[in-house]
Amino acid sequence: MSPRAAPPRFGPLQLVLAAAGTAAATLDLCMDGWVAAEYARRGHPGWAALSLSLLAAASAAAQACSWLWLRSDPPALRPAVPLALLAALHLLQLGFFLRCLHALKVGWRVCWAKEEEEDEQRHMAFLSHDISMLRLFETFLENTPQLTLLLYIILRTNKAELSQGLGMGTAFLCVSWSLLDYHQSLRSFLQDKYELSLGSSIIYFLWNLFLICPRILAVALFALLWPYGVAVHFPLVWLAMFLWVSLQGTDFMESPGPEQLYRAVVAVILYFSWFNVAQGRTLHRSIIYHSFILVDSSLLALAWLWGRAPSEEHSYLLPVLSAALPCYLLGLGLRVTYYKWLHPNVQVQQEGRYDEVDASGGSDGVKFRSFLEPDLVNRRMQWLAQTHFSLSQPAQQHFLNGAVES
């Protein structure tokens, strides 16, 4: 059995970043409300209702996941309030912010009250992992659809209001923040300090940005001519992604019912961006996914080109659209660059040999942390980490049993 591995240290910098993440989420919520109010004030109640509906649906899904996780977690890791009050707060859509405030309280105690025991650090890591995942869920359920809606409205009215510009800015901030925070959270399960450097973070942010932006542009352009067509296109693609995720056999939630909710949320993420949910090598699945999205987005853009009326009103969109394909290909190139040189390759020593599995090549082997206190390990994020870093099936069992050599 391997020796006890210390959790990643939570210090003042991490506390500041956690507070900034909470502030960004609050600012984004306020901006969404402002944008919806501006739509209603300017005589567009349909747009206001759609914006608020996207916000409500995203919040409900994130709160449901948060509540299901709290119910299955050890009582000692929950906020010190009655379970009934926790349920009421989640019904009021305040569960995520309660988690954030609870994490800041624990983080403050860890940083400044000299509570430096490993159990406290593990408690903070557990909370941070859940917040990272919930932030990612809410971002892709709410911010990416909101970005598409905002771009559609700007193109339709051919002007951008201050509230819309600020709304798009905060939405992109939340998307980039959630992706980086999620990836760094997964890396915290690695035994060695494979933290993202500034250069790695920039490349990781850019390849996600270059892949998401063309997708949002293609959907917005399609909606510009066929607004109700998106109401058909999205459910069809979502259903295809849901079936694809189901066939890959995820095992994230505690029971089959909540697992379907998780798969439904992941299907929404996959409508806009790649998200790995299966064990083993991801290269072939990634090629299938990006090929599908590239063809689908191209068909949406071609439909707009075919159906648009020649006018000077949107003539600037032609060079923008012509840059979308190079942008997407550049994003793919940066993704390959990242996974080739910056994504840790996994080597797990078993029976006197190394079993190397990686989705993208690379040469640097890493090991996972060995956690001997299962109640203080976030098994949900641990499962995602071992799928993200692509362990083989024997290595996965070795890893989940907490017996990886350290």
Side-chain angles (χ1 to χ4, degrees):
M1 182 67 68
S2 58
R4 174 180 172 129
R9 307 301 296 178
F10 186 91
L13 176 60
Q14 286 72 28
L15 181 64
V16 171
L17 292 176
T22 303
T26 305
L27 175 62
D28 180 61
L29 179 64
C30 294
M31 290 305 309
D32 290 337
W34 183 24
V35 170
E38 285 294 303
Y39 291 154
R41 187 177 68 85
R42 295 177 183 275
H44 300 289
W47 293 348
L50 181 57
S51 180
L52 292 177
S53 297
L54 292 173
L55 178 62
S59 179
Q63 302 295 328
C65 290
S66 175
W67 170 246
L68 290 169
W69 297 349
L70 278 175
R71 286 183 57 189
S72 64
D73 288 342
L77 298 179
R78 302 172 188 162
V81 296
L83 198 60
L85 180 56
L86 283 177
L89 289 172
H90 280 80
L91 285 174
L92 294 173
Q93 308 302 297
L94 297 174
F96 176 72
F97 287 100
L98 175 66
R99 279 180 174 272
C100 292
L101 293 176
H102 178 56
L104 290 175
K105 177 182 177 181
V106 175
W108 179 271
R109 186 168 68 244
V110 168
C111 291
W112 304 115
K114 301 188 183 303
E115 295 283 353
E116 297 181 353
E117 294 84 355
E118 282 190 10
D119 284 353
E120 288 290 335
Q121 291 285 346
R122 293 178 190 277
H123 186 185
M124 189 60 215
F126 192 107
L127 298 175
S128 299
H129 291 150
D130 272 350
I131 289 173
S132 173
M133 194 66 184
L134 289 171
R135 182 178 291 123
L136 184 76
F137 282 176
E138 193 162 17
T139 293
F140 275 93
L141 289 173
E142 190 262 325
N143 288 119
T144 45
Q146 287 280 10
L147 279 170
T148 307
L149 177 62
L150 282 169
L151 183 57
Y152 159 76
I153 293 173
I154 290 172
L155 294 177
R156 176 153 186 167
T157 59
N158 211 29
K159 63 179 180 179
E161 303 293 340
L162 175 62
S163 60
Q164 294 172 325
L166 292 176
M168 292 188 71
T170 56
F172 271 117
L173 172 64
C174 287
V175 169
S176 59
W177 188 292
S178 67
L179 286 168
L180 283 172
D181 184 57
Y182 167 74
H183 191 63
Q184 189 63 59
S185 182
L186 294 185
R187 280 177 173 246
S188 69
F189 284 95
L190 300 178
Q191 176 185 312
D192 299 313
K193 291 287 185 178
Y194 281 84
E195 297 181 356
L196 285 174
S197 65
L198 178 60
S200 302
S201 300
I202 292 174
I203 291 179
Y204 190 85
F205 165 70
L206 286 178
W207 75 254
N208 281 287
L209 183 66
F210 289 159
L211 293 180
I212 291 174
C213 285
R215 179 63 173 173
I216 291 176
L217 176 63
V219 176
L221 288 177
F222 182 73
L224 196 59
L225 293 182
W226 295 283
Y228 297 103
V230 177
V232 177
H233 176 265
F234 173 78
L236 289 177
V237 175
W238 174 87
L239 180 60
M241 295 299 177
F242 179 81
L243 294 175
W244 193 45
V245 171
S246 300
L247 289 174
Q248 294 179 61
T250 62
D251 187 24
F252 182 76
M253 304 292 268
E254 297 292 331
S255 59
E259 189 67 27
Q260 299 305 313
L261 172 62
Y262 168 71
R263 292 173 180 176
V265 171
V266 170
V268 177
I269 296 176
L270 287 170
Y271 184 85
F272 293 99
S273 178
W274 165 254
F275 188 79
N276 183 34
V277 296
Q279 301 168 347
R281 294 175 66 88
T282 62
L283 178 60
H284 295 150
R285 291 194 300 271
S286 181
I287 291 174
I288 292 172
Y289 170 79
H290 285 293
S291 298
F292 176 86
I293 292 297
L294 184 59
V295 171
D296 183 67
S297 298
S298 299
L299 290 175
L300 294 178
L302 289 174
W304 175 77
L305 284 172
W306 174 74
R308 75 183 187 93
S311 67
E312 294 297 321
E313 191 177 43
H314 293 119
S315 59
Y316 62 90
L317 285 178
L318 291 176
V320 172
L321 183 60
S322 64
L325 179 59
C327 178
Y328 195 86
L329 296 177
L330 177 59
L332 290 177
L334 289 175
R335 186 173 189 264
V336 171
T337 300
Y338 174 84
Y339 280 99
K340 183 69 175 178
W341 289 287
L342 302 174
H343 188 70
N345 203 22
V346 175
Q347 291 183 330
V348 178
Q349 187 176 14
Q350 293 187 8
E351 300 176 355
R353 64 180 176 85
Y354 281 98
D355 178 30
E356 178 180 336
V357 183
D358 184 59
S360 57
S363 58
D364 295 329
V366 297
K367 300 175 184 177
F368 280 91
R369 295 178 181 274
S370 174
F371 295 106
L372 302 184
E373 302 82 1
D375 286 345
L376 292 176
V377 178
N378 194 319
R379 293 288 178 176
R380 292 179 290 270
M381 292 296 287
Q382 187 184 46
W383 183 86
L384 283 174
Q386 58 94 11
T387 59
H388 188 78
F389 296 112
S390 305
L391 274 72
S392 63
Q393 188 65 38
Q396 291 158 9
Q397 190 60 47
H398 197 60
F399 170 48
L400 290 175
N401 287 339
V404 177
E405 294 264 347
S406 38

